Each structure stands twice: as C-alpha cells, then as structure tokens.
Amino acid sequence: MAIMIQDGTIVNSSELFKGDILIEGEKIIAMGIKLEGRAAKVVPAKGKYIFPGGIDGHTHYALPLAGTHTAGFATTTAAAVGGTTCVIDFSPQPFGMSLMDSIVKHRAEEAESKAAVDFSLHAMVMDAAQQRIFEELPALVKAGVPTIKLFMAYKGTPFMCDDATIFRMLQACKKAGMLMMLHAENGDMIDVYQKQLLAGKKTDPKYHATSRPPVVEAEATARAAYLAKAADCPVFIVHVSCTEAMMALRAANLEGVNIFGETCPHYMVLGVENLAKPDFEGAKYVCSPALRESRHHDQLWRAIENGWLQVVGSDHCAFNFKDQKEMGRGDFTKIPNGAPGVENRLAILYTYGVLTGRLSLQRMVDVFATAPAKFYGLHPRKGSILVGADADLVIFDPEYSGTITVKTSQQGIDYNAYEGLSQKGRPEKVFLRGELIVDKGQYVGKAGQGKFIERQPYGAAYRGRSVRKMPPK
Ligand code: URP
Ligand code: ZN
Ligand code: ZN
C-alpha cells in the first residue's frame, strides 16, 4: 500500500521545494509536484518541512567507562523522537579480543533486537598492542564496517594510542578504504595538567576544562593532519570543540590534506559556566573535549554554515548523575566523561542555528543527515530524500514551541544537558523505512525494529577536499 506525504516543503542539502513524496514498502518510489491519485493513504504535510531522517554518526550506547556503563540501545527511542533514524555506535574493544569479534559482540549483545532506529557500528581500538588490529581492516569492510576510531587522549586507559599506532593504522586504512575517526586531544599534556590541579586541591568539575584547554586540542588536531598527510590517507576529527582546533583543521584542509571534522550541539550552545554549576552539578557537563567559553560558539556555527566542519554528531554518552557522575566527587578526573544529546541534536540546530540566521535549512540538513551519510558510507541509501532511498523521513512542525526537559526525555537517564532551553519546532512524524515510528512527537514504533545497516568503504573523505572555499564573513 503506497503512502503519499502531500504538499510539504521538502528539504535536501541540494534543493528545497514544495511537493509530494510517495513511499512503497521501505523505499521512496517517487517525489515531485502533485503526485495525486497514486496512494491509498495520504499524510498531509502542508506547512511542514520534510527532512531526511537524521544520521547520528557518534553515539556511545554501550560504553564501559570508569567501571560503569552508559544507557543502552533500548533508549534509542530518544533518537527517533529527535528525528534521527540511524545511529552509528562505537564498539569498544575488550582486552584481548579482535576488532571483528568486538563488533560481532556489540551487535549481538547490545544492539540487535533492542534498537528503535537503524544502526551501524564503528570499530574502536582499545587494545593497541595486538598486531592483528592492523590486519583485520579488510574483514571489517567486508562486514559493512568501514570506519574506526582511535584516541590521542585518555592517558592511562586502554583508549589512548601513540603516534606510531595511529600512523600505522592510517596506512592500513588507506589500503582498505576505511575512514579513521580521531579523538584529537594531547593525552600527555592533559595528564600533566590533571596531576598539577589535583596536587593544588583543585578537584571540582570546572577544573576538567582547565585540564584540557583549547591548545591541547589544537596541537593534536594539527598533529593528526601531519600524520594523515604523511600516510596520504584521509582523517576525520570527531567532536571539534573550539576555534583553535577548527582553524588547525581548516588550515590543513586548505593546504590539501584530506582532513574533515565534526562538532556537536553542546559545543555550540553550552559552556564553561555549566561546568561551574554548584553542588557538583557541573559533573553533568563533563565530556571531552571540555565545554568552552562562549567566544567559540559563533565560530563553530560559522564553521558548519561554511563547510569548514562538515558534520554535527551528538557524541551521545548517557550516564546518570546519581551514582555514575557522582563517582567523581572529590576528584574531577574520576567523573565518567560524556553527555547525553541524541534526542536534541535537530532541536538545537533548528532553534539556535536556523532560527537565529546562523545556519540555512539546507546546511542544517547537510550536517544533520546528508554529510554524515556520505562520510560514513551510507549514502545514497540514507541521508537524502531520493527515489530509491530508504523512506526515512521527518515531518517537522515548525510551529511547535516547548522547553527541553528531562521530564519528557526518552534518553533513560536522570538529567538532560539542555534542561530549560526553549525549543522551536519538532519532528511531528518520523518514518523509518516506510513505517511510522513517531506520531504527534511521541514514539509509536516497536523495540527491535531498527536493522543493522552495512556501509560502504571509500566515503566522501576519499573524494578529495570538500571544504567549501568561502570568504570569511
Ligand atoms: O566525553 C566523551 N566524549 N565521552 C565519550 C567518549 C569520547 O571520547 O567520545
Ligand atoms: Zn572521543
Ligand atoms: Zn564520543
């Protein structure tokens, strides 16, 4: 039975027009003007925007950290109500296990039969001493996993990799067509700062930011660019938080290095004042890189509007304040790093980007859905409204007005990082491969409805420099 979404404003990264979309089964089978009489069911969308379902390429639904664990895949309903129809989750590598087995384990034990939206997985190196990690990339690509994350930070934990590991892995990525995603912060410098702060009894959450200033991120980003240049392999910097790192990335890109990057909503609307909240509440905002001063906000909005950063991911990493974040009372270095946000990515981009004139609707769709699909190997199946693509669609009501609060949140934890911020517009209906999973803003799907999606290697980063050259404003 075909469904027609009628008379909405269809927004792709490449065009915007009023029209209709015809869905049959899991796919979009037509789009255009006045497709009347071709569907048994009509969904009116006059006055609404229709966006491609969001792709959130940066979630941690099952991250073991500091002896605890994030809220799991059952809470992917939060992605759905936030307009995200596909998440790509990082698969931690247990000690001694191959990357491939870590993916198989993560998929079976954490995601399958729980996911409310489609999902894929990134490999994530946490046992760099294993020689085989450099050799298993072709097998990962074959399994539909063409992306891998390495960390330059978190010294003293299994996450941190040295430059030799990163460089060798870049060489291996190039051979396999994989995209390396890098957490770019200088772990050695952070370790020195942390020890000095703790020795001076500076233990509150706000010192998390003091221990990892912008220079720490800028240095690592510039180093990542040199490593990528030497390996002649693309690199993708995740969660860019500050002007200095963004500029280092942009400078290297203009020099011809295939370096690209993501920022996150929390770096564009939250700041160091959140970390300084009394009664240890600042711990809710401890994530890495750290929240910055407000001078960085406009620069990051400018970077995504101009294409100097290409993707906005949530870095969703949901720990409860009670008992989890609280593990770091008296020592900010023991607070599990991460902030929730999968549910609010579109709301923040629309309310604080589009409606303030900092971001065009089409750029919003690009950073929210199309560019992540292209970089991570999901396009054209997902990320754009196209004939033949999965019918992952968001019918967005621009008239909605509300306040973000944990009281209505689906994220499964006891706080929302954006608590109290006003929100304009919301996904009214969301379709996942042609099935209605959100109606009137509420989740109406079935647990386990999300499918594992195999992705393709040689994504957009391999197609050369895509940073749009625009004169600075
Ligand atoms: O603080 C963060 N970002 N936690 C999740 C792990 C990571 O570095 O992405
Ligand atoms: Zn990271
Ligand atoms: Zn992350």
Side-chain angles (χ1 to χ4, degrees), residues 247-309:
M247 293 301 274
L249 187 154
R250 185 172 169 233
N253 187 283
L254 288 171
E255 285 293 314
V257 179
N258 279 338
I259 180 166
F260 304 93
E262 167 208 62
T263 188
C264 313
H266 43 276
Y267 298 122
M268 297 190 285
V269 296
L270 303 178
V272 282
E273 65 286 357
N274 296 89
L275 277 167
K277 285 193 174 195
D279 300 328
F280 196 64
E281 215 195 318
K284 294 177 178 174
Y285 303 91
V286 167
C287 59
S288 295
L291 297 181
R292 305 296 183 194
E293 283 147 10
S294 57
R295 74 177 168 91
H296 299 275
H297 293 172
D298 275 346
Q299 299 298 326
L300 293 175
W301 285 109
R302 215 158 76 108
I304 60 168
E305 170 61 13
N306 289 340
W308 304 334
L309 294 174

Side-chain angles (χ1 to χ4, degrees), residues 351-362:
T351 309
Y352 298 94
V354 174
L355 293 185
T356 60
R358 293 192 276 203
L359 192 63
S360 74
L361 266 178
Q362 287 178 243

Side-chain angles (χ1 to χ4, degrees), residues 58 60 63 149 151 154 183 239 286-288 315 317 337-338:
H58 195 151
H60 301 277
L63 183 71
K149 183 176 181 189
F151 295 78
Y154 302 130
H183 178 129
H239 47 45
V286 167
C287 59
S288 295
D315 195 1
C317 188
N337 280 211

Side-chain angles (χ1 to χ4, degrees), residues 8 27 47 49 107 141 183 256 301 323 353 378 418 461:
K27 300 289 179 186
Y49 292 120
R107 178 175 168 184
V141 167
H183 178 129
W301 285 109
D323 296 340
L378 284 166
Y418 303 103

